[in-house]
Amino acid sequence: MTAIILIQPEIPGNTGAVGRTCVALGMELILIHPLGFDISDKRVKRSGLDYWPHVNLTEYASWDAFLAARVPRPDQLFLFEEFGSRSFYEPDYPDDAMLVFGQETKGIPKPIIARHEDRLFHLPMRSDVIRSLNLANTVSAAAYQALRGKL
């Protein structure tokens, strides 16, 4: 199963929208703590609508706890950053791909990037006045790309 991983998300509405996308596409949602909100926050549920109970949700106390529990293969991890060296169109995503996204304001923590520099990807943009897309929009685009030809 393909998974979406949010590292220390800060905005409950984004996490709710990502959860809704995960339900629509049959993906697991993995949240890496600490979160910038309480997972029971009604704003999470409002964005996820009545689909939130159907989210296949797993939570980990830290990135290291996630790595220890899941032991992902290097080719499973796809880290998304605005400065990623490769386009998200390039890779062939395995069925068990793990798409990793960082905080809305800070991105993926630098120590995690340093350990996975060869797995950095970006979403191409035509405009030079936009730094990045909203997290929920980025996740949706990446999720559909990872599942291209599999839906």
Side-chain angles (χ1 to χ4, degrees):
M1 170 185 294
T2 304
I4 300 296
I5 301 172
L6 301 182
I7 300 174
Q8 302 172 359
E10 301 165 301
I11 300 173
N14 281 334
T15 299
V18 169
R20 186 174 178 177
T21 298
C22 287
V23 172
L25 297 176
M27 295 178 154
E28 178 183 14
L29 175 59
I30 298 172
L31 300 179
I32 307 296
H33 286 250
L35 308 180
F37 52 88
D38 186 303
I39 195 66
S40 65
D41 189 313
K42 63 183 168 188
R43 291 172 295 176
V44 174
K45 293 179 181 174
R46 184 179 307 132
S47 294
L49 294 175
D50 53 346
Y51 306 110
W52 192 252
H54 303 287
V55 174
N56 179 5
L57 178 64
T58 307
E59 299 179 59
Y60 292 98
S62 67
W63 179 254
D64 288 335
F66 159 74
L67 291 177
R70 298 298 276 269
V71 192
R73 300 182 319 275
D75 73 321
Q76 275 182 285
L77 295 175
F78 298 85
L79 284 70
F80 291 86
E81 275 292 345
E82 63 191 52
F83 57 81
S85 59
R86 293 184 283 166
S87 167
F88 83 138
Y89 290 117
E90 290 182 29
D92 290 322
Y93 296 89
D95 290 339
D96 59 353
M98 296 179 166
L99 313 180
V100 182
F101 303 86
Q103 290 179 308
E104 289 90 341
T105 59
K106 298 177 187 172
I108 297 172
K110 290 183 186 342
I112 295 173
I113 289 173
R115 287 168 34 190
H116 305 284
E117 284 183 274
D118 62 326
R119 305 301 301 163
L120 289 176
F121 297 87
H122 71 276
L123 273 67
M125 292 182 277
R126 290 183 171 177
S127 174
D128 60 356
V129 298
I130 301 283
R131 276 189 324 278
S132 62
L133 296 172
N134 170 277
L135 175 65
N137 294 337
T138 302
V139 169
S140 291
Y144 274 92
Q145 178 62 22
L147 295 179
R148 197 177 105 215
K150 300 173 187 175
L151 292 175

